[in-house]
């Protein structure tokens, strides 16, 4: 894993005040790194030393106005099946990209099923998350 270069964003979820809220790092993995091992993702996550790091892999969407991503969340020691604040952070990062500004809906394929993030249509910049019920 030498010479690994990844772009990342640290987002403070659930707040509009910097250095408060619930921080998470978000990495949209470029194609060359889509096959990184779980061990490698854990090592990267440990470097951040935040409660969660989200790894996103762009996927093909079948719906206009929707972007789709594979999503995995890690603490510095384990992979998590679901994480609300890292999903919110991921949505914030994607909606701030040029491609994300063109859509109103994101779908995240996860170990817990499909999670949906939508822009709240009032222009406030807020994001609404929909989680599937666990049985």
């Amino acid at each position: 894993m030498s010479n690994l270069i990844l772009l990342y964003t640290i987002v403070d979820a659930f707040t509009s005040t910097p250095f408060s809220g619930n921080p998470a790092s978000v990495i949209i993995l470029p194609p060359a790194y889509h096959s990184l091992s779980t061990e490698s993702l854990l090592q990267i996550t440990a470097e951040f030393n935040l409660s969660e790091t989200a790894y996103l892999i762009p996927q093909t969407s079948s719906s206009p106005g929707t972007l789709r991503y594979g999503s995995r969340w890690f603490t510095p020691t384990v992979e998590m099946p679901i994480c609300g604040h890292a999903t919110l952070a991921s949505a914030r990062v994607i909606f701030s990209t040029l491609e994300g500004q063109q859509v109103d809906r994101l779908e995240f394929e996860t170990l817990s099923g499909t999670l949906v993030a939508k822009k709240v249509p009032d222009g406030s910049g807020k994001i609404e998350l929909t989680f599937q019920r666990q049985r």
Side-chain angles (χ1 to χ4, degrees):
M1 208 167 61
S2 64
N3 298 322
L4 178 68
I5 298 174
L6 293 172
L7 300 178
Y8 66 91
T9 304
I10 296 176
V11 177
D12 293 316
F14 306 123
T15 185
S16 58
T17 305
F19 309 111
S20 62
N22 205 345
S25 53
V26 178
I27 299 173
I28 301 174
L29 291 171
Y33 299 121
H34 286 185
S35 62
L36 281 175
S37 69
T38 296
E39 179 183 340
S40 294
L41 296 175
L42 280 166
Q43 289 172 339
I44 295 164
T45 300
E47 287 285 316
F48 284 108
N49 199 29
L50 295 173
S51 60
E52 303 282 345
T53 296
Y55 295 94
L56 307 175
I57 296 177
Q59 297 180 340
T60 303
S61 175
S62 59
S63 304
T66 299
L67 294 177
R68 189 176 188 87
Y69 289 82
S71 183
R72 296 176 73 183
W73 304 282
F74 290 84
T75 72
T77 58
V78 298
E79 183 170 8
M80 301 297 292
I82 194 165
C83 181
H85 82 281
T87 302
L88 182 62
S90 297
R92 173 65 61 210
V93 168
I94 295 166
F95 282 141
S96 71
T97 67
L98 187 58
E99 186 178 31
Q101 292 173 16
Q102 309 303 312
V103 301
D104 294 319
R105 177 185 165 99
L106 304 173
E107 295 177 347
F108 297 100
E109 290 302 321
T110 75
L111 292 175
S112 299
T114 303
L115 309 180
V116 176
K118 295 180 186 177
K119 294 177 185 174
V120 174
D122 63 3
S124 66
K126 292 181 180 177
I127 298 169
E128 175 184 291
L129 299 178
T130 302
F131 293 86
Q132 293 181 342
R133 289 187 177 191
Q134 298 297 307
R135 297 177 192 232

